[in-house]
Amino acid sequence: MGNSALKAHLETAQKTGVFQLTGKGLTEFPEDLQKLTSNLRTIDLSNNKIELLPPLIGKFSLLKSLALNNNKLTALPEDLCKLKKLETLHLNGNHLRQLPAAFGQLSALKTLSLSGNQLRTVPTQLSGLRHLDVVDLSKNQIQNVPDTVGELQAIELNLNQNQISQISVQISHCPRLKVLRLEENCLELSMLPQSILSDSQISLLAVEGNLFEIKKLRELEGYDKYMERFTATKKKFA
């Protein structure tokens, strides 16, 4: 891509607050964007070949949405965590193994997509995010869901297509969790905390494709209580 094309993109972005450059084979974050640190509200650099995010990313003080799906990121810089207005972060299809230690400082974050990375556990940093609504951790290498999950504020947690065989009973204590997706994992029925059914806010539990038959779920204590929540929620959206 020539300089003139990039220049045109930058001029548009200066007016609109949106910089979108997808599928152009970029191998690095465009350095020229630093001229727009006080303009941009949205950056979308999905479907490129970017391997590193520069510390400069922390300077986009107005940024609300950042999308870097399908790149080659193996790590994120701590500076990313300075984005106090960031509400949406899409990082599907990268090579991330963990999140920066300060990730919990992204206090405005509502939507986080990390599908198709190399995470091995549910990052503990997520528990500090008070406005988180949707977390997508599907298609990773997660094997267990730790106790810290009980502090997660999300409304929806997607853990489909991982290798989960253990789930902390603390997941029942998530104050806002309504939708829990656990399809295509390695769960035995005995490893599914019954309190998810009997004593949680969860009104949609998706567990197809594990190591038990779905009809066995109906025999568990608390299933009728879960069905009450499920039906009530369905009526609300009907």
Side-chain angles (χ1 to χ4, degrees):
M1 190 172 124
N3 272 346
S4 57
L6 183 58
K7 205 170 158 206
H9 272 278
L10 290 169
E11 281 171 14
T12 310
Q14 195 161 2
K15 296 189 191 97
T16 61
V18 177
F19 184 83
Q20 186 177 29
L21 200 57
T22 59
K24 296 289 187 220
L26 296 181
T27 53
E28 50 191 48
F29 188 86
E31 212 159 87
D32 288 339
L33 282 186
Q34 61 192 348
K35 299 172 189 154
L36 299 177
T37 48
S38 56
N39 297 67
L40 293 184
R41 289 184 299 279
T42 300
I43 295 176
D44 185 354
L45 292 165
S46 296
N47 304 311
N48 283 294
K49 296 174 179 168
I50 297 168
E51 294 183 20
L52 279 178
L53 267 188
L56 147 78
I57 192 69
K59 297 204 166 102
F60 292 89
S61 52
L62 297 181
L63 201 62
K64 283 192 159 183
S65 173
L66 177 59
L68 285 152
N69 296 325
N70 305 317
N71 276 282
K72 296 183 182 286
L73 298 170
T74 53
L76 301 169
E78 288 288 340
D79 294 80
L80 177 72
C81 308
K82 294 177 182 166
L83 299 175
K84 291 286 176 249
K85 298 204 165 177
L86 194 67
E87 294 180 5
T88 309
L89 181 57
H90 291 294
L91 294 161
N92 300 326
N94 281 282
H95 309 296
L96 299 169
R97 292 173 183 272
Q98 59 196 47
L99 298 179
F103 198 82
Q105 290 172 15
L106 290 171
S107 50
L109 202 60
K110 291 180 180 174
T111 303
L112 175 62
S113 306
L114 285 160
S115 180
N117 279 280
Q118 294 169 17
L119 299 172
R120 293 184 174 270
T121 184
V122 176
T124 54
Q125 297 94 313
L126 301 186
S127 300
L129 296 167
R130 292 280 163 254
H131 299 286
L132 210 50
D133 289 336
V134 179
V135 183
D136 185 354
L137 300 173
S138 61
K139 300 181 185 170
N140 276 279
Q141 296 161 15
I142 298 170
Q143 296 177 1
N144 66 354
V145 180
D147 288 347
T148 47
V149 76
E151 291 161 44
L152 190 69
Q153 298 287 322
I155 296 169
E156 175 167 346
L157 176 59
N158 185 343
L159 291 164
N160 288 347
Q161 292 178 297
N162 277 284
Q163 298 152 20
I164 296 167
S165 58
Q166 282 183 308
I167 300 179
S168 166
V169 67
Q170 296 296 327
I171 200 160
S172 322
H173 298 164
C174 290
R176 299 167 68 214
L177 192 62
K178 298 270 194 286
V179 178
L180 177 58
R181 301 187 187 279
L182 286 162
E183 295 180 19
E184 295 179 50
N185 276 285
C186 308
L187 282 168
E188 303 271 1
L189 191 58
S190 59
M191 285 297 170
L192 192 70
Q194 289 202 5
S195 54
I196 290 177
L197 298 172
S198 59
D199 191 21
S200 78
Q201 302 287 320
I202 295 165
S203 56
L204 177 62
L205 176 64
V207 287
E208 284 79 3
N210 278 282
L211 307 178
F212 58 87
E213 290 177 54
I214 288 295
K215 62 171 190 262
K216 295 274 187 224
L217 189 66
R218 297 178 199 135
E219 295 163 16
L220 289 185
E221 202 177 325
Y223 185 77
D224 47 348
K225 275 191 174 169
Y226 161 69
M227 279 316 289
E228 280 170 26
R229 295 192 303 274
F230 177 80
T231 313
T233 309
K234 258 184 109 158
K235 281 197 187 117
K236 220 181 340 188
F237 292 117

